[in-house]
Protein backbone atom coordinates (compact mmCIF):
# COMPACT_ATOMS: atom_id res chain seq x y z
CA UNK A 1 0.00 0.00 0.00
CA UNK A 2 2.81 2.43 0.80
CA UNK A 3 4.28 1.58 -2.55
CA UNK A 4 1.05 2.57 -4.28
CA UNK A 5 0.96 5.87 -2.41
CA UNK A 6 4.59 6.64 -3.37
CA UNK A 7 3.82 5.66 -6.93
CA UNK A 8 0.80 8.03 -6.94
CA UNK A 9 2.93 10.83 -5.50
CA UNK A 10 5.62 10.32 -8.14
CA UNK A 11 2.98 10.33 -10.89
CA UNK A 12 1.38 13.45 -9.42
CA UNK A 13 4.77 15.18 -9.32
CA UNK A 14 5.45 14.16 -12.93
CA UNK A 15 2.06 15.51 -13.99
CA UNK A 16 2.71 18.71 -12.06
CA UNK A 17 6.12 19.10 -13.74
CA UNK A 18 4.53 18.50 -17.14
CA UNK A 19 1.79 21.04 -16.37
CA UNK A 20 4.41 23.59 -15.32
CA UNK A 21 6.41 23.00 -18.52
CA UNK A 22 3.25 23.30 -20.63
CA UNK A 23 2.25 26.49 -18.79
CA UNK A 24 5.72 27.97 -19.29
CA UNK A 25 5.64 27.08 -23.00
CA UNK A 26 2.17 28.59 -23.37
CA UNK A 27 3.26 31.73 -21.52
CA UNK A 28 6.29 32.09 -23.81
CA UNK A 29 4.05 31.61 -26.84
CA UNK A 30 1.56 34.20 -25.57
CA UNK A 31 4.40 36.62 -24.87
CA UNK A 32 5.82 36.17 -28.38
CA UNK A 33 2.37 36.66 -29.93
CA UNK A 34 1.80 39.78 -27.85
CA UNK A 35 5.18 41.19 -28.91
CA UNK A 36 4.40 40.52 -32.57
CA UNK A 37 0.99 42.18 -32.26
CA UNK A 38 2.45 45.16 -30.43
CA UNK A 39 5.12 45.59 -33.12
CA UNK A 40 2.42 45.44 -35.80
CA UNK A 41 0.30 48.02 -33.95
CA UNK A 42 3.30 50.32 -33.53
CA UNK A 43 4.23 49.98 -37.21
CA UNK A 44 0.65 50.72 -38.24
CA UNK A 45 0.52 53.74 -35.93
CA UNK A 46 3.79 55.07 -37.37
CA UNK A 47 2.53 54.57 -40.91
CA UNK A 48 -0.75 56.30 -40.11
CA UNK A 49 1.05 59.19 -38.41
CA UNK A 50 3.33 59.58 -41.43
CA UNK A 51 0.35 59.57 -43.79
CA UNK A 52 -1.44 62.17 -41.66
CA UNK A 53 1.68 64.32 -41.54
CA UNK A 54 2.08 64.14 -45.32
CA UNK A 55 -1.59 64.97 -45.75
CA UNK A 56 -1.33 67.95 -43.42
CA UNK A 57 1.79 69.18 -45.25
CA UNK A 58 0.08 68.83 -48.62
CA UNK A 59 -2.96 70.69 -47.31
CA UNK A 60 -0.78 73.49 -45.92
CA UNK A 61 1.03 73.83 -49.25
CA UNK A 62 -2.26 73.92 -51.16
CA UNK A 63 -3.70 76.52 -48.78
CA UNK A 64 -0.60 78.69 -49.07
CA UNK A 65 -0.54 78.73 -52.88
CA UNK A 66 -3.22 81.43 -53.04
CA UNK A 67 -1.38 83.59 -50.51
CA UNK A 68 1.90 83.11 -52.37
CA UNK A 69 0.23 84.12 -55.64
CA UNK A 70 -1.19 87.28 -54.02
CA UNK A 71 2.20 88.17 -52.55
CA UNK A 72 3.91 87.62 -55.93
CA UNK A 73 1.26 89.73 -57.68
CA UNK A 74 1.71 92.53 -55.13
CA UNK A 75 5.50 92.30 -55.45
CA UNK A 76 5.22 92.59 -59.24
CA UNK A 77 2.97 95.65 -58.87
CA UNK A 78 5.38 97.22 -56.35
CA UNK A 79 8.31 96.61 -58.70
CA UNK A 80 6.40 98.19 -61.58
CA UNK A 81 5.63 101.26 -59.46
CA UNK A 82 9.26 101.53 -58.38
CA UNK A 83 10.45 101.26 -62.00
CA UNK A 84 8.01 103.99 -63.06
CA UNK A 85 9.04 106.25 -60.18
CA UNK A 86 12.71 105.62 -60.96
CA UNK A 87 12.11 106.45 -64.62
CA UNK A 88 10.52 109.79 -63.66
CA UNK A 89 13.36 110.57 -61.25
CA UNK A 90 15.86 109.64 -63.95
CA UNK A 91 14.39 112.23 -66.30
CA UNK A 92 14.56 114.86 -63.55
CA UNK A 93 18.14 113.89 -62.72
CA UNK A 94 19.21 114.10 -66.36
CA UNK A 95 17.67 117.55 -66.69
CA UNK A 96 19.36 118.70 -63.47
CA UNK A 97 22.77 117.43 -64.60
CA UNK A 98 22.38 118.99 -68.02
CA UNK A 99 21.29 122.23 -66.37
CA UNK A 100 24.39 122.23 -64.16
CA UNK A 101 26.76 121.31 -66.97
CA UNK A 102 25.34 123.55 -69.64
CA UNK A 103 24.11 126.27 -67.31
CA UNK A 104 20.76 127.82 -66.82
CA UNK A 105 20.85 129.94 -69.96
CA UNK A 106 22.62 127.34 -72.03
CA UNK A 107 26.03 128.92 -71.35
CA UNK A 108 28.72 126.66 -70.06
Amino acid sequence: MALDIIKDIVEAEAKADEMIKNAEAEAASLKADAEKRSEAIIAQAKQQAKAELNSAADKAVDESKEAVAKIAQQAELDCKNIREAASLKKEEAIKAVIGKVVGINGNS
Side-chain angles (χ1 to χ4, degrees):
M1 178 156 192
L3 188 58
D4 288 337
I5 294 173
I6 293 174
K7 191 176 181 183
D8 289 343
I9 292 172
V10 170
E11 286 178 9
E13 287 177 346
K15 285 183 182 179
D17 287 343
E18 186 176 334
M19 290 173 69
I20 290 171
K21 287 179 184 177
N22 288 340
E24 288 173 345
E26 187 176 348
S29 176
L30 289 173
K31 180 181 176 187
D33 288 346
E35 287 175 350
K36 286 180 184 177
R37 279 188 267 143
S38 69
E39 288 172 4
I41 290 170
I42 290 170
Q44 182 181 4
K46 284 181 180 179
Q47 186 179 17
Q48 184 177 357
K50 186 176 179 180
E52 289 175 4
L53 178 63
N54 288 340
S55 175
D58 290 343
K59 184 179 177 183
V61 168
D62 288 343
E63 289 176 356
S64 68
K65 284 182 181 178
E66 185 178 333
V68 169
K70 286 181 181 178
I71 291 169
Q73 185 179 16
Q74 184 61 46
E76 186 64 35
L77 181 61
D78 291 346
C79 288
K80 180 183 173 189
N81 291 339
I82 290 170
R83 280 192 297 271
E84 289 173 357
S87 178
L88 293 174
K89 299 274 184 189
K90 180 180 174 184
E91 292 296 323
E92 292 176 17
I94 290 171
K95 288 179 182 177
V97 169
I98 290 174
K100 292 286 184 182
V101 172
V102 175
I104 297 176
N105 297 322
N107 299 330
S108 41

